[in-house]
Amino acid sequence: MSVPDAAHGFDRAADTYERARPEYPPEAVAWLAERLDLRPGRTVADVAAGTGKLTRALVGTGARVVAVEPLAEMRRVLVEAVPEAEALEGTAEALPLADASVDAVTVAAAFHWFDVPRALVEFARVLRPGAALGLVWNVRETRAAIQRELDELLEPHALGVSQGHRVDAMAHFPTPPFGPLERSEFVHEQRFDADGLVERVASISFVALLPDDEREELLARVRALGRRYDAPFPFPYRTEVLLSRRE
């Protein structure tokens, strides 16, 4: 099954990803769960589930959660972190699920990695009529000075890597059989010291794939940036949630 080359960095950084990436704020999960009608007796497929950052929150709704993840190391951490979910190998473009077998599909911080037209066909295939697709991102809040300074450090190393997020997603809706998007936004943050900031940056896929000397030089500069702030310092996000219903 096909996975973009740049995404393989996540396999190299799976444990770091689990430690350093943010969870999703309860308010955002509640907004999504209400609109997807997640509850006991319902089934949700969490696609490109990674280490289960959203998966574990979905388990809390009482719904049956099937987590689909193509990368072996990410899936290993997922199984350890969220044993209540059923973890399957698969991609958004070739889901290992039967037709009309799920009541909702979720995608957290991964939609921009997909071959979107193919993925939407698969989502429509596995969703029951009237069910919905939920997309979630923790987007770094670039109005914060530390985020702007971090972007200056990352930009020279990110050439050719897609940084698309919900803007790319919005261009694909409405696309039959999916209807218009409903959208909400929430404020969220992590708190770091310099070492925590280094781990957060090390969890980025293109950083994990850099040659060792280039990666270590970048992370040293990130550590120096973190030391200019009083720990624990805030690392803010906007959590963006989009929902489209299968018509």
Side-chain angles (χ1 to χ4, degrees), residues 1-105:
M1 54 190 68
S2 176
V3 177
D5 290 343
H8 285 280
F10 291 126
D11 239 5
R12 293 185 61 178
D15 291 306
T16 303
Y17 190 103
E18 172 62 14
R19 290 192 301 269
R21 288 297 181 109
E23 308 293 336
Y24 292 92
E27 300 84 358
V29 175
W31 186 93
L32 187 64
E34 179 183 4
R35 283 153 182 80
L36 295 177
D37 192 22
L38 299 183
R39 52 182 166 79
R42 304 270 286 177
T43 298
V44 55
D46 190 27
V47 178
T51 65
K53 290 292 182 177
L54 180 62
T55 313
R56 69 202 72 193
L58 298 176
V59 165
T61 68
R64 173 184 172 230
V65 181
V66 180
V68 180
E69 169 55 44
L71 297 173
E73 282 300 296
M74 297 290 270
R75 200 167 57 252
R76 172 187 62 79
V77 177
L78 166 67
V79 169
E80 294 172 358
V82 197
E84 304 90 341
E86 178 183 353
L88 300 177
E89 181 180 6
T91 66
E93 300 83 2
L95 293 170
L97 301 169
D99 294 357
S101 61
V102 302
D103 301 292
V105 168

Side-chain angles (χ1 to χ4, degrees), residues 143-158:
R143 288 178 291 186
I146 192 169
Q147 299 283 19
R148 294 195 301 271
E149 292 180 84
L150 182 58
D151 276 344
E152 290 179 5
L153 296 180
L154 291 173
E155 186 175 1
H157 304 276

